[in-house]
Amino acid sequence: MKISAILGQKPVSDVSWITPSSTVTQALKSLADKGIGTLLISTDGKLADGILSERDIVRALSRQGNAALSLTVDQIMTARPVTCTRDDNSGSVLVKMTEGRFRHMPVTETDGTLVGLVSIGDIVKAHLSDLEQEREALVEMISGR
């Protein structure tokens, strides 16, 4: 399954981002208000300068204590995140996520323009849906329906 098919099942406004100069406290508020675990970091909302996850914040808090809350997100974000394109196969994206031990991947055009964000949950959901359709087709074929 192509990443474009997975993106087609998600709301267009599903990508949340914050500027690199925002504080970790502002990022935490945005994550909590939206009930999400990752923010893209972008100066213009078009190119991904980085990605910030709950894990990044936890690591900063463990290293710096409450002082981490005053840092800007560009000080703790993952710069130059691994990305994929709409044409990538979801299986290969899942492998990259698993090997890299991360749960979200920005989807970009070849010029780097941001078009979406996929999570490991999005990919697993799509694969489960495909498996269910295959199962139903096999049951129909075997039962002669």
Side-chain angles (χ1 to χ4, degrees):
M1 173 179 288
K2 298 278 186 192
I3 292 298
S4 58
I6 294 171
L7 285 179
Q9 299 169 359
K10 297 179 67 163
V12 174
S13 62
D14 201 31
V15 178
S16 296
W17 61 277
I18 196 166
T19 63
S21 60
S22 300
T23 65
V24 171
T25 298
Q26 290 170 317
L28 280 168
K29 180 166 177 23
S30 184
L31 290 169
D33 288 350
K34 296 174 182 178
I36 57 176
T38 299
L39 290 168
L40 287 174
I41 310 305
S42 178
T43 53
D44 60 7
K46 295 178 184 172
L47 299 175
D49 300 317
I51 193 165
L52 181 75
S53 70
E54 296 164 320
R55 289 179 183 177
D56 295 321
I57 296 170
V58 167
R59 286 184 193 113
L61 286 168
S62 74
R63 286 190 306 266
Q64 299 180 14
N66 288 344
L69 298 173
S70 300
L71 297 174
T72 55
V73 295
D74 62 346
Q75 293 176 284
I76 68 167
M77 71 181 187
T78 300
R80 294 177 301 284
V82 176
T83 64
C84 63
T85 68
R86 292 185 244 219
D87 292 330
D88 283 334
N89 180 289
S90 61
S92 66
V93 170
L94 187 59
V95 168
K96 287 180 186 177
M97 288 177 155
T98 302
E99 289 175 349
R101 297 183 50 91
F102 53 88
R103 299 176 294 184
H104 297 85
M105 186 181 288
V107 183
T108 62
E109 298 288 1
T110 53
D111 67 357
T113 304
L114 186 64
V115 295
L117 183 74
V118 291
S119 72
I120 202 162
D122 296 331
I123 295 173
V124 169
K125 180 181 174 183
H127 280 254
L128 289 175
S129 177
D130 283 351
L131 287 172
E132 179 60 21
Q133 288 175 0
E134 287 177 26
R135 185 194 70 76
E136 288 174 5
L138 287 170
V139 167
E140 287 182 18
M141 184 177 70
I142 291 168
S143 64
R145 291 187 231 166

